[in-house]
Amino acid sequence: MSTLGIAVIGTGKMGADHVRRIGRTVGGARVVAVADPDGDRVKAVAAGLDGASAHTDPAAAMAAPGVQAVLIASPGPAHEEAILHALRRELPVLCEKPLTPDPAGALRVMEAEQRLGRRLVQVGFMRRFDAEYERLKELLDAGGIGRPLFLHCRHRNASSPSFFTSDMLITDSVVHEVDAARWLLGQEITAVSVLSPTPSSAAPEGLRDPRLVLLETAGGAIVDVEIFVNCGFGYEVRCEAVGESGSAQIGEGQTMLVRSGGRGYGEIPQDFTVRFADAYDRQLRRWVAAAAQGRVAGPDAWDGYAAAAVSAAGLAAAHNGVRTPVELVERPALYR
Amino acid sequence: MSTLGIAVIGTGKMGADHVRRIGRTVGGARVVAVADPDGDRVKAVAAGLDGASAHTDPAAAMAAPGVQAVLIASPGPAHEEAILHALRRELPVLCEKPLTPDPAGALRVMEAEQRLGRRLVQVGFMRRFDAEYERLKELLDAGGIGRPLFLHCRHRNASSPSFFTSDMLITDSVVHEVDAARWLLGQEITAVSVLSPTPSSAAPEGLRDPRLVLLETAGGAIVDVEIFVNCGFGYEVRCEAVGESGSAQIGEGQTMLVRSGGRGYGEIPQDFTVRFADAYDRQLRRWVAAAAQGRVAGPDAWDGYAAAAVSAAGLAAAHNGVRTPVELVERPALYR
Amino acid sequence: MSTLGIAVIGTGKMGADHVRRIGRTVGGARVVAVADPDGDRVKAVAAGLDGASAHTDPAAAMAAPGVQAVLIASPGPAHEEAILHALRRELPVLCEKPLTPDPAGALRVMEAEQRLGRRLVQVGFMRRFDAEYERLKELLDAGGIGRPLFLHCRHRNASSPSFFTSDMLITDSVVHEVDAARWLLGQEITAVSVLSPTPSSAAPEGLRDPRLVLLETAGGAIVDVEIFVNCGFGYEVRCEAVGESGSAQIGEGQTMLVRSGGRGYGEIPQDFTVRFADAYDRQLRRWVAAAAQGRVAGPDAWDGYAAAAVSAAGLAAAHNGVRTPVELVERPALYR
Amino acid sequence: MSTLGIAVIGTGKMGADHVRRIGRTVGGARVVAVADPDGDRVKAVAAGLDGASAHTDPAAAMAAPGVQAVLIASPGPAHEEAILHALRRELPVLCEKPLTPDPAGALRVMEAEQRLGRRLVQVGFMRRFDAEYERLKELLDAGGIGRPLFLHCRHRNASSPSFFTSDMLITDSVVHEVDAARWLLGQEITAVSVLSPTPSSAAPEGLRDPRLVLLETAGGAIVDVEIFVNCGFGYEVRCEAVGESGSAQIGEGQTMLVRSGGRGYGEIPQDFTVRFADAYDRQLRRWVAAAAQGRVAGPDAWDGYAAAAVSAAGLAAAHNGVRTPVELVERPALYR
């Protein structure tokens, strides 16, 4: 297979990480253009790449010679315009989550794809590529624990960045469980409730952290998510699926057990880049292989839309203190 | 210490178990009288004991020579009368949970104790005597994980007995978590909500099993309890406490790990009598020692009342589908 | 059952512990006499007991009124004389390990029992009463992992007492694995080898710690024991049995898992009194019940003899650096 | 980086696997020639590759246009000739273990490299690239558990292929622990002993399976390896390092815990290709990157030689039943 030329839009933490990843671990692809409003930063990134051009305008990067696919890692509000531009050029897109900040933007992306008549947009819900999640999905699909009744999820970060808000616990963090639940169960979310304990004194003033988010699904399952972004002890993503004939847990494992100082312990990763490093690799490799054929190989724009709709309902539930139904448009034929 | 003479009221499964336990593992005590409305059954139990008299009337059993303490293991609706009778005789009581089926009965028990001016009634919440729960309680009290924010609880039975009802998931099963949460956190429960997934097809027709019960506490913590009495795979009681600076889990352990047939596994106990055998022993031993001095050494009538009040609110939440506040009377001085 | 009167010989750490245990957790027994060469110590112990007499002569303690059984917790070299005296009085004996320091003494004990025509001596190998070991024994006996091929054992102490010698790693520590292996496998040990790495710098000068002791059995199984009495991190006893169709491990479990400071950990007990507290309780309760009927309910004098013979061979293997066969006398009919 | 052209020598199970791996997961490399004495097989393999030539003669494959590096996956006895030919062409080599079946052949490879004046040969000890082994190595190097005293290793296969011999338990299986121990400890092996229990009835007639192999190291550590190639329950590689201040275990982990049918279990991989899939990937990626610069990035010919010398001593120990010292030539400057 020939080498796929990629334009990377956004060269912040995630974008720079993807650039490194393409160079280091993904065969068959290379970055040929990078774009970022911060001209100095984008030049610095391009300087580290052999033959890549630097741009402040995403459209200019996509128009650079050799661009065959687009990876979008700019802030969420900038996604829609970049995606629509890529679709006009009929370029495959891997877009970091969220697809768009609200359901309306996601619907416009879906309309553009429907006009094209094919799906070109993949959303960066990388948990679908994690080995543990894959095993859980296989077990559920094989009926290994019967019809699922509950997903009990824990999502914890050692600490939150300074710009994090109470809403972002739902739209930026729980959104991963939203997608994982939809994918694992093969069901849409129908309602959201949010319970909040007295915030941890370790959380920044004003941040409602932690929270318990409760999702109900079309198939009558219940998903409870503890989101705690200042838990202090590390990054942890655990999930127990409970079915009619058994339960299955992931995220408990420790690859090395140390005994020392009166304790037997395993290290807890401090960051999602450690826990999900392989998933990011796998996501990128599979997308590169699919993009070279003009296809997507992962969550598509419908998945991005559904996640945005649940996030919106989650915010309403959190703000109003009541269980909030999730309303979805009818699923277009292209996404069935 | 001399041997404590005990009257056992009720000789069904639990009562017979206690009779065996007193004979086998608890020093310093012996059963001197047994009572049960089923005359044949009570005679058979007494026949296996050296010098114990058989009665169909609880009062008669308590009046038998040598009775110094009363263990009540009759059905819940019979508890109040038996307790009040024992209190009239100023006998220490160990009463299986629930103290009474409703808060009003528990209040009457408390009034009787207040007239006596001392506490003689202990409720059989035996988890407080379990080694794992004790370690968790010590860790929380020592501030080992900071102020508690969540308790995530799983309470599972392989299958439910034929007489089990949807209400009993709350009043008979979750009531253990209610007491454990109050004890572990040192806080009263202030509100209850109940979420129900589509019932498991493994549950008997009409039984709403499993359920997710959500408790809020006076100190701003949240307790979620999965109760699943037909989970199929065994008896399992797990609890993760999440605090401001860490988390602690119990109930995960396996004392033997077997590798065979492509799997590494630990057995899951099939019954609470296996999982909590030591806790029942310890409860009885400590009560016997305390009762010999006319004291209680465990959950008292206030704890029984609080559990009944939360159960009542839990039933309302389940039936009406809404979050239901828990109202408690002011705590009498005797129970502070 | 009436209360069994016990004479406790030796009131050092283990003896005092047994005295407490009888009073606190074992029904149906009480200490009626204590003996210790240290007159002050024995008087202090007796003073804490209701109606127990203090002696400096073991024979005098055994002759005290009400003595029906003898618990020996004096130093090993004093065991033989005390046992033989108890046998002359036909009193059941529970003797702390080792039965005697050498095989010759154990043979004399066996001869005395054979003259009496019944077994009265039980040796304090309390692992046989540990819940995890019991489960492993049941699994092996049921053929759950097929014919056993290996036992991989780890025996670790946080640190060794000041009087500990290189020989004692074998005669005082590994002797527990010797008995456990004989009991689990139902086979005698036929040869011993010892390998010694460069001693740990954490061990006292001159102590050959740790060591690897290799036992071969009559049924062709191999037992490897890491003994490390200055491991620093706690007290740990683990055992993996490997059979023709599977493996089973005990001693891995943690009853509480804590997440804090970047680690998920379980506490490691710092002392055998913690890890084996229940086993000591159970040993004493079963022996009291059996002794009340003039029987033993655990490892007998033959087991004590076999352990002494393996210890002697182990010392030879350690001193001479070669594999050393174990020679046993023919097993007398009384011990079959 | 430009794409590295590789000649693959040997297209059996391992060779075919490497061919797939290069195509699928390793960027920057492609197979341009394949060689195998089985003309049909090699043609079939080449047919699946875009533009690769098929050969029955390894030398011809290495002479094919575009060959820049050689991957040798032929049977062990064929390694030496292929390596020496590659060295004559100054091509970087990744050679499956063993480097050569005996120490003499390995010494001749080292002489050829010394004449060249640089190292071009890497041996396929892929455990050095496994994430768990890497973490253990880091911990040991950082002094996290103090000076190492023991490595306790378990190496188990569900069943052995039909051609497996008692010698191969040592030369083909334990050789992995030999290299891992040398690498983890940074010490040479100085002596080998072998203990054999009665063979498992699940092993083919005449195969001495399992065995316990004991390695002593120059730094005074002891390594015990249980090798069991017909354990029945799966593929398992575990290692516990015990140091002066702690212990660390790898290979215990399960990424998904399932509760069902009275058991809580994790799957055990059935094959090394599952357990070490990532290690094989990583080995190949790092070698490709290094080979493009004419370097090796892993175990070199000295490591292959040392492993062959320990294997030879291990065979002597097994055949003669005695501890056998390992003799190594002085380490040439090129390999220091």
Side-chain angles (χ1 to χ4, degrees), chain A residues 21 24 39 68 82 145 162 177 180 213 223 257 266 276 281 309 321-322:
Chain A
R21 204 174 291 276
R24 200 185 58 222
Q68 297 164 293
I145 56 169
S162 57
E177 271 75 21
V213 179
V223 182
L257 179 67
F276 286 116
D281 280 6
V322 294

Side-chain angles (χ1 to χ4, degrees), chain D residues 249-263:
Chain D
Q249 269 176 287
I250 58 172
E252 305 287 327
Q254 49 212 11
T255 57
M256 183 165 68
L257 179 65
V258 181
R259 286 168 171 89
S260 182
R263 293 177 173 176

Side-chain angles (χ1 to χ4, degrees), chain D:
Chain D
M1 105 192 143
S2 71
T3 301
L4 186 79
I6 299 176
V8 173
I9 311 302
T11 56
K13 183 166 186 285
M14 287 302 298
D17 207 50
H18 280 302
V19 166
R20 265 192 303 277
R21 203 173 291 276
I22 293 170
R24 200 184 59 221
T25 62
V26 180
R30 63 193 195 94
V31 177
V32 294
V34 285
D36 199 285
D38 180 336
D40 292 342
R41 180 162 75 180
V42 73
K43 269 180 208 151
V45 169
L49 297 166
D50 188 20
S53 55
H55 309 263
T56 51
D57 175 19
M62 295 187 214
V67 170
Q68 296 165 292
V70 181
L71 193 160
I72 300 176
S74 50
H79 287 184
E80 182 180 345
E81 187 182 336
I83 295 169
L84 294 176
H85 190 81
L87 290 179
R88 280 192 290 271
R89 303 188 74 97
E90 296 199 34
L91 295 170
V93 172
L94 175 60
C95 180
E96 270 304 311
K97 58 94 200 165
L99 179 62
T100 61
D102 59 5
L107 285 174
R108 286 188 292 268
V109 168
M110 285 165 60
E111 282 157 19
E113 283 196 306
Q114 288 176 87
R115 280 193 301 271
L116 271 178
R118 60 185 177 127
R119 290 180 291 166
L120 285 173
V121 177
Q122 180 170 326
V123 187
F125 289 122
M126 86 294 169
R127 286 197 196 169
R128 299 194 187 193
F129 300 92
D130 175 62
E132 293 191 41
Y133 271 95
E134 284 181 342
R135 286 187 63 192
L136 180 56
K137 172 75 169 158
E138 281 166 24
L139 184 83
L140 292 173
D141 286 354
I145 57 169
R147 183 173 58 85
L149 300 163
F150 291 110
L151 297 181
H152 301 303
C153 308
R154 312 286 161 251
H155 184 159
R156 294 164 183 163
N157 296 75
S159 62
S160 59
S162 57
F163 57 79
F164 226 69
T165 66
S166 297
D167 281 0
M168 291 174 79
L169 266 75
I170 293 165
T171 56
D172 247 57
S173 299
V174 175
V175 71
H176 276 295
E177 271 75 21
V178 166
D179 184 68
R182 295 180 59 253
W183 175 64
L184 287 171
L185 302 175
Q187 298 172 24
E188 296 296 349
I189 310 296
T190 56
V192 189
S193 311
V194 179
L195 282 178
S196 300
T198 305
S200 171
S201 61
E205 182 69 28
L207 195 69
R208 288 212 67 93
D209 180 39
R211 309 187 105 164
L212 187 70
V213 179
L214 300 153
L215 311 173
E216 299 168 46
T217 77
I222 288 175
V223 182
D224 54 277
V225 185
E226 178 205 303
I227 174 68
F228 191 0
V229 298
N230 289 281
C231 80
F233 55 79
Y235 180 72
E236 206 174 37
V237 169
R238 292 152 56 201
C239 180
E240 180 183 16
V242 183
E244 293 191 334
S245 64
S247 112
Q249 269 176 287
I250 58 172
E252 305 287 327
Q254 49 212 11
T255 57
M256 183 165 68
L257 179 65
V258 181
R259 286 168 171 89
S260 182
R263 293 177 173 176
Y265 67 86
E267 301 287 338
I268 300 174
Q270 292 303 299
D271 199 326
F272 66 92
T273 58
V274 177
R275 167 66 182 82
F276 285 116
D278 284 346
Y280 278 109
D281 279 6
R282 210 162 357 229
Q283 172 182 258
L284 211 47
R285 268 188 246 138
R286 292 196 193 158
W287 174 69
V288 162
Q293 305 175 315
R295 296 187 301 104
V296 298
D300 61 17
W302 172 262
D303 297 308
Y305 160 69
V310 176
S311 280
L315 289 185
H319 296 169
N320 306 327
V322 294
R323 174 181 178 280
T324 305
V326 176
E327 307 288 350
L328 295 179
V329 301
E330 199 189 350
R331 191 164 181 158
L334 184 62
Y335 301 101
R336 272 173 212 158

